[in-house]
Amino acid sequence: PSRREYGLMVTFYARRGDMHRARETFESMRARGIEPSAHVYTSLIHAYAVGRDMEEALSCVRRMKDEGIEMTLVTYSIIVGGFAKLGNAQAADDWFKDAKERHTTLNAIIYGNIIYAHCQTCNMDRAEALVREMEESGIDAPIDIYHTMMDGYTIIGNENKCLIVFERLKECGFTPSIISYGCLMNLYTKIGKVSKAVAVSKMMESSGIKHNMKTYSMLINGYIKLKDWANAFAIFEDLIKDGLKPDVILYNNIIRAFCGMGNMDRAIRTVKEMQKERHRPTTRTFMPIIHGFARAGEMRKSLEVFDRMRMSGCIPTVHTYNALILGLVEKRQMEKAVEILDEMALAGVSPNEHTYTSIMHGYASLGDTGKAFEYFTKLRNEGLELDVYTYEALLKACCKSGRMQSALAVTKEMSAQKIPRNTFVYNILIDGWARRGDVWEAADLMQQMKREGVQPDIHTYTSFINSCCKAGDMPRAMKTIGDMEALGVKPNVKTYTTLIHGWARASLPEKALKCFEQMKLAGLKPDKAVYHCLMTSLLSRATVAEAYIYSGVLSICREMIESGLTIDMGTAVHWSKCLRKIERTGGELTEALQKTFPPDWNSRHTSDVDSNVDTNDESDISGDDEDIHFADRTDVNDDNYDDNDDDDADLNHKSWF
């Protein structure tokens, strides 16, 4: 074979990324006494660059120089592109500068590679400068560079700049391709604007471009992130109708969607369908199913899926075990979660920082500071990375158990480790002080957030309002509502519930009722906790207040009945005691309120309530902490109140929703 034929073989293997065969062919050529040219060396370097082995690629460059062979512009372009794929923008920039020194004219390919390097590392200012430099040199940017810039703006979530590049692409005479539209769809799905992504897909279809697997996957992923399972499945059905066959990644996403909506049987059937289509499941296929069953407390089924995964040839990784542990932690089954650690040790799988952090969060939710610190010590002793999530778990444990001095010690250690405090960390601390009703400490933390440039979110404001309410400082609580609205942060149901709680504590049910009306005007739907808090407040004042209290009680009863809400037996007992003080022989209030009681109320509890009512027992209907106990459990992690969140949740006749 001649040098040309050997060169073609090296090029063939290089395009496939088969660097071993490329090297073997190269050495075979040299063994026959044929000296490699710059083209053959460049092909070999290309093979190593595709295989992401830049050390060997650079060793080939050194051999070229030793043999007196000059690097061509193509060689430089391949090296710059190789470092760009590895995310090493600095090395790519160094070789690009070297190419500029040795070659008077550059081309669009090497510019495209260096621009890609900076876009992938989010250095968009440098990428923009390179585009300008290229245009000033008289080099026309190909459509690929526009796509690279759009992808870079997608990574940093800059919608405006991405749209500007898209419009510029059209102005320069390029017809948007499926990649152009795909870049826009990817942007919108990543920033949570799936409706705009759908609009872009319709625009693409109207221009005669059909969807491919990637564009469909983007839309499905966007809906899955929003937990909009119905639309995710609708897109999947469209994909099947178009005759496209799902790949492993798409099957994995659909399985994740089924698990997210709790349809575990359908998720398992999808795995079987996947295997029928000769797709081999991966650990990512089984992880959401394992986690879903563990989260539902069905450990037997979770372990069955775990065994099926092994039988399918998938070796359990630390991430698979973490899925089991996370599911158990979410159900507060900490003993079983710790047992998984023993199984990991038997399987020879070492826990990582996520494993220990999940367990720490579990104990933190229970307020078990000792156990949380125990696993923190294990994590540190094993040399694993201590990140902000690890310290969040510790802070949560301290604040949950009321050990605020320990929480402050943790924040000092964070500062020593140079780990910045984010919004979530401040939320935990403010919530901790709010539980104690210490509005001054909470206010100091709010000021610290502003000084450090950390933006408060809805959880931050709600926790601070809770601290104001507990301290009885309702004017400050209302001022905070105004401040947050001025910054564009709208109160949510929890925020209004906390305010209603505050007015109830202040024995001002008329203010609580006004706050309730404002919440409905804001378009928010009251939940059980809101109704419970408001009703308890009104009933506690019904014997001494004006007629509006009676009309308020009747109005809330009607809303609860229309919404199909029924209270639990403990709450029914408590409200019945209040009613007996208002209407001893029954009446309109009693008749309306009893429609919200459990169905078996009359048969099981009427006689007990009649015999146990104490007309002088004001402690049961006062506006103290126990009556509206749920508002003390503001948890920055959760979207709903949780009965297990407080140590005093075992009050016998005041069970909350």
Side-chain angles (χ1 to χ4, degrees):
S2 63
R3 180 190 289 115
R4 181 175 177 279
E5 289 167 334
Y6 273 115
L8 288 171
M9 286 296 293
V10 174
T11 303
F12 170 74
Y13 289 126
R15 286 175 180 170
R16 295 175 59 187
D18 192 343
M19 49 192 174
H20 302 296
R21 292 281 182 87
R23 188 59 183 248
E24 183 184 330
T25 305
F26 179 83
E27 294 300 338
S28 175
M29 181 186 72
R30 298 199 73 165
R32 286 176 174 267
I34 302 172
E35 290 301 319
S37 63
H39 174 73
V40 179
Y41 262 117
T42 300
S43 295
L44 184 59
I45 291 167
H46 185 211
Y48 284 117
V50 174
R52 296 177 180 263
D53 189 347
M54 293 309 295
E55 287 185 14
E56 281 297 327
L58 294 181
S59 73
C60 291
V61 170
R62 287 191 291 271
R63 287 182 66 177
M64 279 181 74
K65 290 180 178 179
D66 292 342
E67 294 176 14
I69 301 173
E70 287 293 326
M71 291 176 65
T72 65
L73 187 57
V74 177
T75 315
Y76 276 111
S77 182
I78 288 168
I79 291 172
V80 171
F83 280 118
K85 287 178 182 176
L86 293 177
N88 190 343
Q90 184 59 53
D93 223 12
D94 293 340
W95 282 97
F96 178 74
K97 289 173 183 175
D98 192 29
K100 285 173 71 176
E101 291 173 3
R102 294 181 180 276
H103 296 273
T104 54
T105 56
L106 302 180
N107 60 21
I109 296 172
I110 193 167
Y111 268 109
N113 286 338
I114 190 62
I115 290 168
Y116 175 77
H118 288 293
C119 286
Q120 292 302 299
T121 54
C122 303
N123 188 357
M124 296 308 296
D125 292 336
R126 175 65 177 151
E128 288 171 6
L130 286 164
V131 171
R132 285 193 296 270
E133 180 186 307
M134 183 178 68
E135 290 175 343
E136 288 166 4
S137 302
I139 302 170
D140 292 330
I143 193 169
D144 291 341
I145 288 182
Y146 288 100
H147 294 159
T148 301
M149 293 296 290
M150 289 175 71
D151 188 48
Y153 288 124
T154 297
I155 293 170
I156 63 172
N158 192 328
E159 180 184 353
N160 292 332
K161 287 283 185 78
C162 193
L163 289 172
I164 289 169
V165 175
F166 183 73
E167 292 303 321
R168 180 78 188 279
L169 178 150
K170 292 191 286 186
E171 288 170 6
C172 291
F174 292 109
T175 302
S177 66
I178 191 166
I179 300 173
S180 313
Y181 289 112
C183 287
L184 278 182
M185 290 165 66
N186 192 30
L187 165 74
Y188 286 125
T189 53
K190 282 192 173 180
I191 62 176
K193 297 181 179 179
V194 185
S195 57
K196 287 192 174 182
V198 173
V200 172
S201 75
K202 289 178 181 176
M203 189 196 309
M204 181 182 77
E205 289 171 344
S206 65
S207 63
I209 300 172
K210 291 185 177 180
H211 279 280
N212 63 12
M213 191 67 71
K214 284 190 176 180
T215 53
Y216 273 128
S217 294
M218 288 173 192
L219 291 174
I220 290 170
N221 285 339
Y223 282 123
I224 287 174
K225 283 180 183 176
L226 296 177
K227 297 185 179 180
D228 188 345
W229 318 119
N231 277 316
F233 297 135
I235 299 292
F236 182 71
E237 287 171 1
D238 289 343
L239 180 149
I240 300 297
K241 286 177 185 175
D242 283 356
L244 297 174
K245 291 190 175 180
D247 56 10
V248 174
I249 296 171
L250 193 56
Y251 269 121
N252 288 351
N253 287 333
I254 288 298
I255 288 167
R256 188 155 61 95
F258 281 126
C259 293
M261 68 184 296
N263 194 341
M264 306 305 296
D265 293 335
R266 186 67 188 275
I268 291 170
R269 286 205 302 272
T270 306
V271 174
K272 292 176 181 176
E273 288 174 20
M274 184 178 173
Q275 290 171 324
K276 282 181 183 177
E277 294 294 328
R278 299 185 179 277
H279 290 297
R280 185 177 177 181
T282 64
T283 52
R284 286 183 178 272
T285 310
F286 292 101
M287 272 174 59
I289 304 175
I290 292 168
H291 178 239
F293 278 128
R295 189 177 182 180
E298 297 186 54
M299 279 308 298
R300 184 180 58 80
K301 289 185 177 180
S302 184
L303 292 171
E304 282 176 3
V305 175
F306 190 80
D307 291 335
R308 184 180 296 177
M309 182 189 75
R310 283 175 165 167
M311 291 170 65
S312 299
C314 300
I315 299 171
T317 63
V318 66
H319 306 293
T320 320
Y321 285 107
N322 285 352
L324 270 176
I325 290 171
L326 186 60
L328 291 167
V329 164
E330 287 174 358
K331 294 298 289 183
R332 310 276 174 97
Q333 297 182 21
M334 295 311 299
E335 289 183 8
K336 290 182 179 179
V338 172
E339 286 173 7
I340 301 296
L341 288 178
D342 298 330
E343 289 188 25
M344 289 177 71
L346 290 172
V349 179
S350 299
N352 61 10
E353 54 270 18
H354 301 296
T355 316
Y356 287 122
T357 302
S358 295
I359 291 175
M360 287 169 64
H361 272 291
Y363 282 119
S365 297
L366 299 175
D368 193 336
T369 314
K371 285 288 186 182
F373 272 94
E374 178 187 327
Y375 282 96
F376 174 78
T377 306
K378 284 185 179 181
L379 190 154
R380 186 165 54 184
N381 291 344
E382 291 182 17
L384 297 172
E385 182 185 359
L386 297 173
D387 57 14
V388 67
Y389 303 106
T390 312
Y391 284 105
E392 282 170 5
L394 275 186
L395 287 171
K396 186 178 173 183
C398 295
C399 295
K400 196 90 169 180
S401 58
R403 295 174 61 176
M404 296 308 297
Q405 295 306 315
S406 297
L408 293 176
V410 172
T411 58
K412 286 179 182 177
E413 185 173 337
M414 285 180 70
S415 301
Q417 297 286 343
K418 295 183 179 178
I419 297 174
R421 284 184 271 187
N422 58 18
T423 305
F424 192 66
V425 169
Y426 275 109
N427 288 350
I428 294 171
L429 291 169
I430 292 170
D431 183 63
W433 289 115
R435 288 170 184 269
R436 298 175 64 163
D438 196 329
V439 69
W440 299 109
E441 290 287 355
D444 283 345
L445 286 167
M446 293 288 285
Q447 292 302 318
Q448 279 184 39
M449 288 184 79
K450 289 180 182 177
R451 287 195 297 270
E452 294 179 13
V454 180
Q455 292 298 319
D457 61 11
I458 183 63
H459 301 295
T460 318
Y461 285 113
T462 301
S463 292
F464 183 66
I465 290 167
N466 190 28
S467 68
C468 297
C469 293
K470 278 200 154 186
D473 193 349
M474 293 309 295
R476 180 180 279 197
M478 296 307 294
K479 181 180 179 298
T480 305
I481 289 286
D483 292 344
M484 63 188 280
E485 288 179 335
L487 292 169
V489 182
K490 293 183 179 180
N492 61 12
V493 174
K494 270 190 178 182
T495 315
Y496 280 110
T497 305
T498 306
L499 273 177
I500 291 168
H501 173 205
W503 290 120
R505 285 170 63 92
S507 296
L508 291 169
E510 64 275 12
K511 295 277 189 179
L513 199 58
K514 184 180 178 182
C515 189
F516 177 71
E517 295 301 327
Q518 287 174 348
M519 181 181 74
K520 290 192 290 183
L521 287 173
L524 298 172
K525 186 179 179 181
D527 59 10
K528 289 183 179 181
V530 176
Y531 284 121
H532 182 278
C533 179
L534 189 59
M535 183 66 80
T536 304
S537 172
L538 293 173
L539 287 175
S540 68
R541 300 282 292 172
T543 55
V544 293
E546 298 94 359
Y548 78 91
I549 296 287
Y550 282 74
S551 63
V553 171
L554 292 172
S555 173
I556 294 166
C557 283
R558 280 195 298 272
E559 286 186 28
M560 290 180 70
I561 293 164
E562 287 170 6
S563 301
L565 298 178
T566 304
I567 61 173
D568 60 74
M569 193 61 70
T571 306
V573 171
H574 176 54
W575 286 2
S576 178
K577 285 188 176 184
C578 296
L579 281 171
R580 294 288 294 179
K581 297 176 185 187
I582 302 165
E583 298 177 337
R584 283 187 168 276
T585 57
E588 188 180 8
L589 284 183
T590 304
E591 184 180 348
L593 204 60
Q594 285 192 350
K595 290 179 181 178
T596 67
F597 285 9
D600 57 346
W601 164 257
N602 289 325
S603 60
R604 291 180 58 187
H605 288 273
T606 304
S607 60
D608 292 340
V609 173
D610 288 344
S611 61
N612 289 326
V613 169
D614 181 356
T615 56
N616 296 319
D617 185 10
E618 290 297 323
S619 64
D620 284 339
I621 55 171
S622 65
D624 65 4
D625 288 354
E626 291 182 350
D627 279 338
I628 30 185
H629 183 61
F630 60 86
D632 295 352
R633 298 197 300 272
T634 305
D635 190 338
V636 293
N637 284 324
D638 303 318
D639 294 330
N640 301 300
Y641 294 109
D642 191 336
D643 289 352
N644 295 324
D645 276 0
D646 200 287
D647 295 332
D648 299 325
D650 58 352
L651 297 172
N652 55 4
H653 73 284
K654 299 188 183 77
S655 303
W656 312 120
F657 294 97

